[in-house]
Amino acid sequence: MGKNKNVIVVGGGIVGLSTAYFLQKEGHQVTVLDKSNMDSGASYVNAGYITPSHIIPLASPGMITKGIKYMFNSSSPFYMKPRLDKDFIKWAWYFKKSSTKHKVERAMPIIRDINLLSRELYEGIKASGNLGNFHLERKGLLMVYQTEKARDHELEVAQKADDLGLEVSNLDSNGLQKIEPNIKLNAKGAIYYECDGHTTPTQFMNRMIDYLSENGVVIQKNEEVLDVVFNGDQLNEVKTSKNSYKVDEVVLAAGSWTTGLSKKLNIDLPLQAGKGYRINVGTPTNISMPAILMEAKMAVTPMEGYTRFAGTMEFSGINNIIRKERVEAIAKGAERYYKGLKISEEDKSQAQCGLRPVTPDGLPYIGKSKQYKNLTFATGHAMMGWSLGPATGKLVSELISERNLSMDITPFDPQRKF
């Protein structure tokens, strides 16, 4: 166990706050810096899933071909905006290299293990009572299909999940109706992953911010990191738009913005922002089960106070432009599956987006830098940031406190070769 340290966590999303939570428990002095007001972004607009079932990384065979096919259709579920950007082209090449059957097979048990660790930690945070009684349920997740093709594809994944010891079953349309009784589904059936859970992200984030602020963690909103001062292999100081901070340790958990900060330290961290959208519907929908609508490639989550419809993966750089056609595609997708569901123009007009940090191989970056002995990375979780936040925070706190790690993090090496 190392001495208590002064740690700067750059980034106040789910990963940054979880890191602060576990570091504070170890007795470190933690400051979280975030350039936003910490009330929007990927940690607030996601589907709220805790998903051991998501064992297949985004970089899987055929994804780049799909991306190229969808490239000129900006309402498609997986959209890559054509652009001459060196970082994007290099990332896309690494992504293609990572999308092999062998690499996917190797990644599956690793993704399962970190998800199960995180699920346990969410339950531990709830049991501790630290955040009060926040919404956390383990009802499972339905992968709802309208076609045999989607069903057969998911059955292959279900078989792999079953081989990895996760609870999964196949429901026909009657079985689906029994488990989701109050709304009529236009579907042939669903693969049911009983191992998954869900939450209401904004509620959790707000409770976490309150808890940390009351327990000695300094949270600085609207404060952008501009530079990091280093001497040899040691980071000494973090300079922001408002202050300067002396440091013992720095954690880069800035999501899609981590690459820009890494460049200041001459570290190449291949990462692209994958934009996702969400629509909240506050009127009752009678939907009680989290579901992924397979052909529409979108997620549906019953949360406290609303039903959330979320989806799409748009690679168009770092921007918060909301493309109306993509919001429309989510609304239409949902209405195709749930009979009688109508998403109002008002709800669509309130849609928000968030940028998910996507690595070329679908595994996050968690670990120490090779160049600087007091720098740790915690980013690149793609669509699993919410699911993996607590596990990442715990692993980072173990690294900084020089404790035994809860799992082997070699596959998450931030400077691995692609």
Side-chain angles (χ1 to χ4, degrees):
M1 169 79 192
K3 67 177 178 67
N4 291 347
K5 297 169 181 171
N6 171 25
V7 188
I8 295 284
V9 177
V10 182
I14 181 67
V15 173
L17 294 186
S18 297
T19 299
Y21 179 86
F22 289 107
L23 282 169
Q24 178 265 333
K25 289 206 156 330
E26 292 281 351
H28 300 291
Q29 180 50 55
V30 187
T31 303
V32 177
L33 305 173
D34 196 283
K35 68 187 188 60
S36 78
N37 199 37
M38 290 175 67
D39 55 6
S40 63
S43 295
Y44 295 83
V45 305
N46 64 82
Y49 292 158
I50 298 158
T51 50
S53 70
H54 277 37
I55 49 173
I56 307 286
L58 188 67
S60 56
M63 272 317 267
I64 281 284
T65 315
K66 271 186 196 149
I68 291 165
K69 188 178 86 185
Y70 287 146
M71 206 170 248
F72 303 102
N73 172 7
S74 64
S75 64
S76 66
F78 184 77
Y79 173 55
M80 288 187 169
K81 184 176 188 233
R83 60 192 195 280
L84 284 170
D85 169 326
K86 195 168 93 253
D87 287 342
F88 177 67
I89 292 164
K90 189 161 74 173
W91 176 89
W93 168 243
Y94 290 155
F95 186 96
K96 186 169 169 44
K97 274 172 65 177
S98 301
S99 301
T100 66
K101 202 165 175 299
H102 171 67
K103 286 185 175 163
V104 168
E105 296 284 339
R106 208 172 56 202
M108 288 189 319
I110 298 163
I111 294 172
R112 172 204 57 190
D113 289 349
I114 189 168
N115 265 291
L116 290 175
L117 170 64
S118 219
R119 187 181 76 179
E120 201 182 300
L121 292 168
Y122 266 113
E123 285 164 3
I125 293 169
K126 176 137 185 171
S128 72
N130 288 338
L131 307 199
N133 185 24
F134 64 88
H135 174 220
L136 174 68
E137 286 185 272
R138 200 196 295 181
K139 280 184 165 181
L141 176 68
L142 296 169
M143 300 291 287
V144 179
Y145 53 82
Q146 293 181 325
T147 59
E148 263 101 16
K149 188 180 169 196
R151 178 199 62 197
D152 294 347
H153 171 78
E154 194 56 36
L155 277 172
E156 284 179 32
V157 180
Q159 185 54 58
K160 289 172 176 154
D162 187 54
D163 294 344
L164 288 169
L166 300 170
E167 312 89 352
V168 58
S169 53
N170 184 15
L171 306 174
D172 61 10
S173 58
N174 290 337
L176 178 56
Q177 207 56 65
K178 273 201 192 79
I179 206 164
E180 184 61 290
N182 301 320
I183 188 164
K184 195 99 183 82
L185 268 151
N186 175 27
K188 280 195 160 66
I191 310 291
Y192 178 34
Y193 291 99
E194 293 166 54
C195 47
D196 288 14
H198 72 286
T199 55
T200 302
T202 300
Q203 179 200 58
F204 183 89
M205 292 294 288
N206 292 340
R207 300 269 177 93
M208 184 62 104
I209 290 167
D210 290 347
Y211 170 79
L212 294 173
S213 304
E214 286 157 16
N215 286 274
V217 173
V218 178
I219 294 183
Q220 303 289 26
K221 301 178 183 180
N222 303 306
E223 191 164 331
E224 186 174 359
V225 172
L226 302 176
D227 210 0
V228 184
V229 180
F230 56 90
N231 185 4
D233 64 355
Q234 186 80 21
L235 304 184
N236 304 111
E237 197 182 336
V238 171
K239 293 184 168 179
T240 71
S241 49
K242 296 179 180 172
N243 282 305
S244 176
Y245 300 87
K246 293 272 183 271
V247 298
D248 294 326
E249 295 276 346
V250 176
V251 180
L252 283 188
S256 298
W257 289 266
T258 312
T259 298
L261 293 169
S262 302
K263 280 186 174 158
K264 293 183 189 297
L265 296 164
N266 304 316
I267 293 173
D268 182 26
L269 198 75
L271 206 58
Q272 283 292 316
K275 191 189 293 175
Y277 294 78
R278 71 94 176 116
I279 304 168
N280 286 346
V281 174
T283 50
T285 59
N286 292 331
I287 295 169
S288 66
M289 285 292 292
I292 289 182
L293 312 179
M294 290 195 63
E295 291 83 357
K297 296 192 167 41
M298 57 172 287
V300 183
T301 318
M303 295 185 178
E304 290 217 335
Y306 42 84
T307 307
R308 175 165 290 180
F309 300 89
T312 84
M313 182 59 93
E314 172 189 323
F315 293 102
S316 61
I318 290 195
N319 65 73
N320 283 310
I321 298 160
I322 293 198
R323 292 174 185 266
K324 294 235 177 342
E325 67 272 27
R326 299 183 73 71
V327 175
E328 202 53 57
I330 292 173
K332 282 204 172 80
E335 289 166 1
R336 277 204 308 276
Y337 285 75
Y338 295 99
K339 292 181 179 166
L341 176 71
K342 232 16 240 149
I343 296 180
S344 71
E345 292 305 317
E346 170 65 14
D347 287 335
K348 286 189 273 200
S349 74
Q350 303 291 315
Q352 288 190 0
C353 66
L355 299 173
R356 297 164 293 200
V358 184
T359 64
D361 62 358
L363 293 176
Y365 295 132
I366 306 168
K368 288 275 190 188
S369 146
K370 288 186 173 54
Q371 288 92 318
Y372 306 99
K373 57 175 189 256
N374 59 339
L375 172 64
T376 306
F377 288 96
T379 186
H381 298 76
M383 289 143 83
M384 286 187 287
W386 189 260
S387 193
L388 301 182
T392 305
K394 178 84 170 144
L395 290 163
V396 169
S397 83
E398 289 166 347
L399 275 173
I400 287 175
S401 305
E402 296 162 31
R403 288 190 178 279
N404 290 337
L405 294 176
S406 296
M407 69 178 285
D408 175 24
I409 61 169
T410 317
F412 310 131
D413 178 3
Q415 290 166 280
R416 59 188 178 268
K417 293 275 174 278
F418 293 106

